[in-house]
Amino acid sequence: MMKALLGPAEIRDLAELLDLQPTKKLGQNFVIDANTVRRIVQTADVTGESPVVEIGPGLGSLTLGLLETGAPVVAVEIDPRLAEQLPKTVAQMQPGADLTVVQHDAMTIMELPRHPSTLVANLPYNVSVPVLLHFLEHFPYITSGLVMVQAEVGQRLAATPGSKVYGSPSVKAAWYGHWRTAGLVSRHVFWPVPNVDSILVGFRLRDEPLGTEEERRATFELVDAAFGQRRKMLRQSLSGVLGGSAAASERLEAAGIAPTQRGEQLTVDDFLAVARAA
């Protein structure tokens, strides 16, 4: 059964109540369109059977959409005013809904109650990739999710080797699982209206990790080096972390990779092969 969600008037009333001026620093752009909220929840395949974690619930637009399915929601919110108000908003609009609010910085949180298996979030543009990678690294019980991010960032996350936007975030995301873009979102469904478009990005994580934690760190170090100088051949871009150009060439050849290739041509498995060739 459809329940009450927040619209433009309710969002502005809540902001006024909290004396809240949305800040670019915290990336606060609140969704004011109920249809967009329901589209996100449906695309994320939230059914109400298992707990969902939401990062940065803000005034609760998406939170109410998730709770509407009957799913228990764990909301991680850094702003104390928003964290305090959210349960009140939910109690008023969807009495009895199963919400747990954790006031914490999503970049540093190390524990989540209820072990949610799905992650759904409208992520702040300025920290979307680091926050996402932090959650995937530290909460292995998350198996799938959907995030709304700046269009450019989302395309990068889902990019494949050889694409112009393929880069460090693409490889690191691929370490954890499979990524796909799931449709653009108009900037006009937000308040305040951002100066960039957004995109939905869905993911499903691997059943088994690609490698050990030590191998992940070694692989990510290679990825950062390769894309830090992405126009250079790998024997040059990796020379700093592999002990010189000759040593880098030797390691690459041992992994079956031509030293004259560039980082944008390698899959995550290729980078792992280089890490393992030590």
Side-chain angles (χ1 to χ4, degrees):
M1 189 177 87
M2 287 197 173
K3 299 181 181 176
L5 301 186
L6 296 173
E10 292 87 352
I11 291 284
R12 288 185 174 86
D13 286 348
L14 278 168
E16 193 176 331
L17 173 72
L18 298 173
D19 192 24
L20 178 73
Q21 296 293 329
T23 68
K24 276 193 176 177
K25 184 185 172 198
L26 291 177
Q28 288 171 324
N29 297 96
F30 302 116
V31 181
I32 57 172
D33 178 61
N35 288 333
T36 299
V37 166
R38 290 195 171 108
R39 174 187 164 199
I40 293 169
V41 173
Q42 188 176 9
T43 307
D45 200 24
V46 175
T47 60
E49 289 174 10
S50 55
V52 177
V53 60
E54 182 188 5
I55 303 167
L59 293 168
S61 308
L62 181 54
T63 316
L64 287 162
L66 293 166
L67 289 168
E68 184 181 47
T69 67
V73 173
V74 176
V76 180
E77 175 57 61
I78 190 172
D79 187 321
R81 291 169 303 170
L82 295 173
E84 187 183 349
Q85 177 60 38
L86 186 59
K88 298 175 186 174
T89 303
V90 168
Q92 185 182 353
M93 298 189 72
Q94 290 188 25
D98 192 347
L99 172 70
T100 306
V101 178
V102 181
Q103 193 207 315
H104 209 293
D105 183 347
M107 288 283 286
T108 60
I109 192 167
M110 297 300 288
E111 285 183 40
L112 288 175
R114 314 188 71 164
H115 286 200
S117 58
T118 307
L119 186 158
V120 183
N122 166 24
L123 290 175
Y125 291 158
N126 48 350
V127 294
S128 52
V129 172
V131 163
L132 202 45
L133 292 176
H134 175 80
F135 269 67
L136 298 181
E137 179 184 342
H138 294 289
F139 305 119
Y141 39 80
I142 293 173
T143 57
S144 65
L146 185 84
V147 292
M148 180 158 57
V149 293
Q150 184 178 343
E152 187 184 324
V153 172
Q155 284 154 354
R156 204 171 286 153
L157 280 168
T160 51
S163 154
K164 282 183 182 175
V165 295
Y166 184 72
S168 166
S170 323
V171 187
K172 290 178 180 179
W175 174 274
Y176 295 105
H178 174 71
W179 299 72
R180 63 186 171 85
T181 55
L184 289 165
V185 178
S186 165
R187 61 185 72 184
H188 299 291
V189 304
F190 297 95
W191 175 75
V193 177
N195 55 8
V196 293
D197 288 317
S198 297
I199 199 168
L200 299 177
V201 182
F203 62 88
R204 185 158 295 282
L205 301 188
R206 299 175 188 275
D207 294 332
E208 295 291 333
L210 267 184
T212 65
E213 176 58 18
E214 192 179 347
E215 286 173 335
R216 183 194 67 78
R217 285 197 297 268
T219 301
F220 282 19
E221 185 183 26
L222 294 172
V223 169
D224 287 336
F227 288 100
Q229 304 178 72
R230 66 181 295 149
R231 293 182 182 278
K232 292 189 173 180
M233 294 179 189
L234 287 167
R235 67 183 178 210
Q236 295 166 295
S237 61
L238 299 183
S239 62
V241 292
L242 295 181
S245 179
S249 292
E250 194 177 317
R251 176 86 77 90
L252 286 158
E253 283 168 354
I257 311 270
T260 50
Q261 285 192 286
R262 291 178 172 80
E264 63 205 39
Q265 297 169 278
L266 270 58
T267 65
V268 66
D269 296 290
D270 293 333
F271 278 108
L272 175 58
V274 178
R276 283 177 170 165

